[in-house]
Amino acid sequence: MAATPPASLPRFYVSSRHYPPQFFFFSSHGTGKVHSRTGSARFKCSAGQTGFFTRIGRLIKEKAKSDVDKIFSGFSKTRNNLAVIDELLLYWNLADTDRVLDELEEALLVSDFGPKITFKIVDNLREDILSGKLKSGNEIKEALKKNVLDLLTTKGSKTDLQLGFRKPAVIMVVGVNGGGKTTSLGKLAYRLKNEGAKILMAAGDTFRAAASDQLEIWAERTGCEIIVAEKEKAKASSVLSQAVKKGKEQGFDIVLCDTSGRLHTNYRLMEELISCKKAVGKVVPGAPNEILQVLDGTTGLNMLPQAREFNDVVGVTGLILTKLDGSARGGCVVSVVDELGIPVKFVGVGEGVEDLQPFDAEAFVDAIFT
């Protein structure tokens, strides 16, 4: 049975859905409902404290370093595709340079590095070989890794979350249908909550009924509060605005805003994202702090036009690449960063709650070329 709210509070919505007794549901605005879990965080924290968000970013980065095994296993398919490089370079000699580089080029293309990047890397290697800078297969391998790492760090260096200095920080998650937006948001909430942040979720996907249910499950799983629309087909901008207001009034550290999946070619729906962005910006000037686009790694280089369109419309600040544990070819990570100059902030390397990994360029390069 759902807990009964005090009679003095106005216009409550009470739900008897299948949640444990410690949940209670209410809304004081009439436009949404709030699910709140009792209990306290591991330790008190405030985004207003100096360096709080910086600390969260540092802890997430440290976690990425410690989770290198997950990254390693997640990119096993890409590593297998690139294993031929070790065979090519094992008995390399100067006379075989053209043949070896041609086969290396093919291996990179198969792994979705894209023609532009592949040709750039191979040309750099050829130049260094012919000039005498690279004299062994091991040196060529290390130069290849350095080329890829330089591409990632030159244009996509800001891989940590940029959450500003005031609370609540607002993160909006966008992307096409089926890319894993809602799941990624739930996993991100899990990470941030574990670092001590007080998280409020906003179910801004008001087109797909199951999306709110899915996010409510994530809220229960992670112990976060959530705001969802009471009415069907409610305006997403209204739900997100209400969530950010609540986040501001009740001292939440971070508000995570889900949005409806939409094709990048549907301009009417793309314009709705502009309304969502403006709505949260009216509540907290400068919000959203991050607009993270979720890209399905199995689509390979086809993700590039999606990212371009979303970036043109709302200004994407970071990318989450999902499904890199299956048939995806990890070279697309490098292509996206080089083409768009948008940093990859997280990668999905499995189905588990901890398998949304903070992206670390060095760990990624080691994982695909080891």
Side-chain angles (χ1 to χ4, degrees):
M1 180 181 295
T4 304
S8 58
L9 293 175
R11 298 186 63 189
F12 289 97
Y13 175 93
V14 180
S15 170
S16 58
R17 294 188 56 178
H18 303 296
Y19 287 88
Q22 65 265 34
F23 279 86
F24 61 93
F25 311 87
F26 67 88
S27 170
S28 59
H29 297 285
T31 56
K33 60 182 177 180
V34 180
H35 298 178
S36 177
R37 178 190 289 271
T38 58
S40 58
R42 291 184 304 156
F43 52 89
K44 293 181 69 65
C45 60
S46 169
Q49 295 173 1
T50 303
F52 172 67
F53 286 137
T54 301
R55 175 186 168 280
I56 282 186
R58 176 175 53 79
L59 289 173
I60 288 177
K61 279 292 187 183
E62 289 173 357
K63 185 66 174 175
K65 294 288 187 183
S66 66
D67 283 349
V68 66
D69 288 344
K70 288 183 179 290
I71 294 288
F72 188 83
S73 61
F75 287 103
S76 59
K77 186 173 181 64
T78 301
R79 188 165 55 255
N80 291 339
N81 287 336
L82 295 173
V84 66
I85 293 174
D86 288 326
E87 298 174 18
L88 289 170
L89 297 177
L90 184 60
Y91 301 108
W92 172 84
N93 61 71
L94 189 59
D96 283 340
T97 295
D98 288 339
R99 178 187 63 81
V100 168
L101 290 181
D102 284 346
E103 293 191 36
L104 187 150
E105 183 177 284
E106 182 179 348
L108 293 176
L109 289 171
V110 166
S111 297
D112 265 351
F113 275 81
K116 179 182 173 183
I117 288 179
T118 296
F119 299 153
K120 182 177 181 179
I121 291 173
V122 172
D123 286 345
N124 287 343
L125 293 176
R126 178 178 282 108
E127 183 178 334
D128 287 345
I129 290 171
L130 296 179
S131 68
K133 291 181 181 179
L134 304 177
K135 299 178 181 178
S136 69
N138 285 338
E139 289 181 359
I140 295 173
K141 174 76 174 289
E142 289 306 309
L144 170 61
K145 292 171 65 174
K146 184 178 185 304
N147 269 269
V148 174
L149 184 60
D150 287 347
L151 284 168
L152 287 170
T153 54
T154 299
K155 293 187 177 181
S157 58
K158 294 183 178 180
T159 57
D160 52 328
L161 290 173
Q162 305 293 310
L163 300 178
F165 301 98
R166 72 176 80 183
K167 67 176 183 178
V170 180
I171 300 175
M172 220 168 92
V173 181
V174 303
V176 301
N177 311 68
K181 270 188 310 78
T182 304
T183 299
S184 295
L185 187 146
K187 291 178 179 179
L188 180 57
Y190 174 83
R191 265 199 186 278
L192 294 170
K193 180 77 182 299
N194 278 357
E195 303 307 339
K198 184 180 180 183
I199 305 295
L200 177 62
M201 295 182 180
D205 186 348
T206 56
F207 286 96
R208 186 170 63 95
S212 293
D213 295 338
Q214 186 181 358
L215 200 60
E216 287 179 40
I217 292 172
W218 275 105
E220 179 181 357
R221 185 181 298 177
T222 58
C224 296
E225 297 187 25
I226 182 173
I227 287 184
V228 304
E230 279 187 344
K231 300 178 181 178
E232 292 184 3
K233 305 300 181 183
K235 285 187 176 181
S237 57
S238 175
V239 176
L240 299 191
S241 176
Q242 180 196 349
V244 176
K245 284 178 183 175
K246 178 178 175 61
K248 186 176 181 180
E249 293 166 359
Q250 299 192 14
F252 283 86
D253 295 310
I254 301 171
V255 180
L256 295 176
C257 300
D258 195 13
T259 60
S260 301
R262 63 205 72 219
L263 290 174
H264 56 290
T265 53
N266 189 322
Y267 295 106
R268 183 183 66 81
L269 290 179
M270 292 294 282
E271 286 176 356
E272 184 192 62
L273 285 180
I274 300 176
S275 299
C276 291
K277 182 178 180 180
K278 288 180 178 178
V280 300
K282 288 179 180 178
V283 182
V284 176
N289 303 80
E290 290 271 16
I291 299 178
L292 303 181
Q293 181 177 359
V294 176
L295 294 171
D296 183 342
T298 61
T299 63
L301 294 176
N302 291 326
M303 67 175 62
L304 284 172
Q306 298 174 16
R308 271 193 222 102
E309 292 294 336
F310 276 89
N311 187 42
D312 288 345
V313 172
V314 291
V316 175
T317 61
L319 301 170
I320 299 175
L321 298 187
T322 61
K323 306 180 186 179
L324 291 173
D325 57 319
S327 60
R329 292 162 292 189
C332 59
V333 175
V334 188
S335 294
V336 169
V337 173
D338 183 71
E339 177 88 11
L340 302 175
I342 302 172
V344 177
K345 305 219 169 184
F346 293 90
V347 290
V349 294
E351 298 298 324
V353 69
E354 295 185 349
D355 290 336
L356 183 71
Q357 294 294 306
F359 181 70
D360 180 272
E362 189 173 349
F364 166 76
V365 171
D366 286 340
I368 65 174
F369 286 112
T370 298

